[in-house]
Amino acid sequence: MSWKTTVVLVILTAGVALSKYSVQTDIPQEAVDRCHRGIRDGREKCGEFANLRKNAASEASDARRKRRQVPQDQSGEKPKLDCNVYKDTEHYATCTACEAGTKTGDECKKLPKPEDLIDYPTIDKTKCLDIEWGTGREHTAADKFGNCMATKTDDTHRYITSNNVPDFYVNPYCPIGLGKGYCVQQEIDAGTCFFTGLTCGDKNNGKGTNDYGDFWVPQEDNYKIKLEGDPTQADRPGDMYDATKVGGAKTNGAAQGVAINGIAIQGPNDAGDVSIDEAGFQLACGGHVTPPMGNDETTGKVPSGPPKYHFHKSPECLSPFTDASKGLAAGGEPYKHAKLMGWAMDGFGIYAYQDEGGKTPVVDECGGHFGPVDTGEVKYHYHSRAIVPYHLACQGPALGQCNKTQSGTNYCHPGCGYQVCVQPGTNEKKLNEYLAKFNDTWLDKYTVNPYNGVNAINFGALTVMLSIVLNILV
């Protein structure tokens, strides 16, 4: 074998070895208008939603009763029964009989929804739900401005009950302006405006409104979230709003997670398919209230109910953000890894802006990555961002496939150029120990960005280098 052949073989061998570090990411397709991903049973056409809104008030009670009779998935269809959720309850025998087909009809239809069997923590109804904005007690910091949140855990899950009242003061709110409507022109043109005919500041809008706009109305919501998400789960990435596939449950269909104060973290868009920044909505502390849609809870067809407070953007008035931004003289810690600001429905933590050393997090298309958190533990987690999608675009890891989870406007991050993103400087041993808890060979199947002093060579660049070397040798 000649020395020229040896050089070529060495380069080719290196190319094969190093090509595992390269990946071709899909270019996001042109965004198309879609209906609000947060609406339960929200797979119908947006035009149908707009027409149904007119009858929402009269149908609310019937729709609510129907939803409670049979477990429903987000498509509005009856899913296959999973009787394991009824184990150790009086409903298990009925469920197995319905599953086997020996029982049908009303007995099967009346099986309670699995989430109704969950023993959520309780909040004081009088103190937490029988309160009204602007009447006194909830306007004091000592009482957290009316905020109520109860949590408990078992061996596998965290359970949260919240009244959806923020623990800071908020003024009456109009998304576009007093005397204006609730939709931007893009939503009106696309037929995704659910709030035609509503004018902000009209007291006839119902509960939660006054002459100056809309304000929060206490409403109870419940969440069941795994204590620890599994990054090696086979069906990743997942829909940003999913709860059931990741072993969770929620009563707020629009939530993709929950902040540390119990307020729902919703997606990057409001009721239409336009992001908060594209619409030009101004949010104090990253949140606002839903438009006033009557006194019934949200139906399975259209959004309804009184104004409910929630976050879209980063809640920069919460301590995980202010602890980093208030200045060194005031005890600020801008150069430490950000603190936990919430939990995504898949069990992974959501942290404030900065990574270790105050560096920018290197995240995947979903908005998450592997790396150390504020405790020093290495794990998969998300970071809030000042840009769309603000928190997460999908449930990660993205594995270069975030685009597949987007059924309308594409909210994916650009990613790090690899299927798996690891924060540079991450301890490799700690990363492997973390993954070994789930699947110690999982990482071998994917391309990984250089994160620990290992230089990855893009296969395209290697091809060019090979061509140059061959030309020199020839």
Side-chain angles (χ1 to χ4, degrees):
M1 182 182 294
S2 70
W3 69 270
K4 292 182 180 180
T5 306
T6 303
V7 170
V8 171
L9 287 175
V10 168
I11 293 174
L12 288 173
T13 303
V16 172
L18 292 171
S19 64
K20 69 177 183 178
Y21 290 105
S22 66
V23 65
Q24 293 182 350
T25 57
D26 293 331
I27 298 173
Q29 299 297 309
E30 182 178 358
V32 294
D33 290 319
R34 61 175 175 147
C35 298
H36 183 203
R37 295 295 306 281
I39 303 302
R40 281 178 252 175
D41 305 332
R43 304 295 183 187
E44 298 92 339
K45 294 180 180 178
C46 297
E48 295 174 2
F49 280 130
N51 292 330
L52 284 166
R53 180 196 172 276
K54 298 176 182 178
N55 300 319
S58 61
E59 295 178 353
S61 297
D62 287 343
R64 187 161 59 251
R65 283 196 296 270
K66 289 176 182 178
R67 288 199 316 280
R68 294 182 67 85
Q69 287 175 350
V70 184
Q72 300 285 316
D73 64 10
Q74 289 191 348
S75 68
E77 300 173 352
K78 181 181 176 182
K80 181 180 179 181
L81 285 171
D82 178 9
C83 293
N84 287 326
V85 299
Y86 298 105
K87 248 181 180 178
D88 302 321
T89 73
E90 59 183 318
H91 308 288
Y92 184 68
T94 300
C95 181
T96 53
C98 294
E99 189 176 37
T102 57
K103 280 189 178 182
T104 59
D106 288 344
E107 283 188 278
C108 299
K109 291 180 181 179
K110 290 180 181 179
L111 278 170
K113 295 171 67 175
E115 54 263 40
D116 290 340
L117 300 173
I118 301 171
D119 184 22
Y120 287 109
T122 59
I123 55 177
D124 187 308
K125 305 297 183 183
T126 301
K127 181 180 178 182
C128 301
L129 298 178
D130 295 338
I131 58 175
E132 185 177 348
W133 181 93
T135 58
R137 184 191 66 80
E138 70 284 356
H139 277 208
T140 64
D143 283 315
K144 298 197 298 184
F145 297 95
N147 171 269
C148 292
M149 174 187 179
T151 64
K152 70 177 185 179
T153 61
D154 57 22
D155 292 339
T156 58
H157 287 81
R158 174 179 289 103
Y159 304 88
I160 300 171
T161 299
S162 169
N163 70 345
N164 289 291
V165 173
D167 54 350
F168 48 85
Y169 177 77
V170 291
N171 283 314
Y173 173 81
C174 288
I176 300 174
L178 192 63
K180 305 290 186 179
Y182 289 85
C183 298
V184 295
Q185 194 60 44
Q186 297 102 302
E187 296 169 315
I188 296 172
D189 293 342
T192 57
C193 178
F194 303 108
F195 316 114
T196 55
L198 282 179
T199 300
C200 194
D202 183 351
K203 288 190 292 186
N204 294 322
N205 288 342
K207 194 174 183 180
T209 67
N210 63 21
D211 292 333
Y212 303 101
D214 307 324
F215 49 85
W216 53 254
V217 173
Q219 296 161 76
E220 182 175 319
D221 271 319
N222 309 111
Y223 304 91
K224 174 187 176 183
I225 302 174
K226 277 188 173 182
L227 291 175
E228 185 170 38
D230 179 359
T232 70
Q233 186 170 322
D235 60 355
R236 301 296 84 189
D239 186 286
M240 70 174 95
Y241 296 106
D242 179 62
T244 56
K245 290 181 181 178
V246 288
K250 57 180 178 175
T251 57
N252 184 342
Q256 58 177 213
V258 190
I260 56 174
N261 62 352
I263 300 299
I265 300 170
Q266 297 190 183
N269 58 304
D270 208 11
D273 200 21
V274 179
S275 75
I276 295 300
D277 281 315
E278 184 182 359
F281 296 156
Q282 301 298 306
L283 308 187
C285 195
H288 65 173
V289 292
T290 54
M293 295 289 288
N295 296 326
D296 289 306
E297 69 179 43
T298 300
T299 72
K301 297 294 184 183
V302 295
S304 65
K308 180 187 290 188
Y309 193 86
H310 58 280
F311 294 129
H312 284 286
K313 301 183 69 174
S314 302
E316 293 184 334
C317 66
L318 299 190
S319 60
F321 295 91
T322 59
D323 284 351
S325 63
K326 62 187 178 183
L328 294 174
E333 298 179 332
Y335 301 111
K336 291 186 176 181
H337 191 284
K339 303 292 185 183
L340 180 78
M341 59 77 57
W343 304 273
M345 291 307 303
D346 56 7
F348 298 117
I350 306 174
Y351 292 78
Y353 294 142
Q354 76 278 6
D355 212 281
E356 284 196 329
K359 295 179 181 178
T360 300
V362 176
V363 297
D364 60 24
E365 293 96 327
C366 288
H369 68 169
F370 292 91
V373 295
D374 59 321
T375 62
E377 300 171 278
V378 170
K379 56 178 66 177
Y380 186 81
H381 60 283
Y382 303 105
H383 277 273
S384 280
R385 308 293 291 276
I387 59 174
V388 168
Y390 311 123
H391 304 289
L392 54 146
C394 57
Q395 293 177 349
L399 307 179
Q401 301 181 61
C402 176
N403 294 339
K404 296 180 180 180
T405 71
Q406 309 292 296
S407 62
T409 296
N410 193 315
Y411 292 113
C412 297
H413 280 283
C416 67
Y418 297 83
Q419 291 170 304
V420 173
C421 300
V422 182
Q423 184 68 14
T426 296
N427 184 289
E428 186 174 8
K429 181 181 178 182
K430 287 186 177 181
L431 173 61
N432 290 332
E433 288 174 348
Y434 168 67
L435 288 171
K437 294 190 297 182
F438 310 101
N439 183 340
D440 59 3
T441 64
W442 176 83
L443 196 60
D444 298 336
K445 297 182 289 186
Y446 302 105
T447 61
V448 185
N449 65 306
Y451 65 91
N452 197 22
V454 178
N455 292 319
I457 299 179
N458 182 276
F459 190 72
L462 184 64
T463 303
V464 174
M465 182 178 69
L466 175 61
S467 176
I468 293 171
V469 172
L470 287 174
N471 286 332
I472 294 173
L473 295 177
V474 174

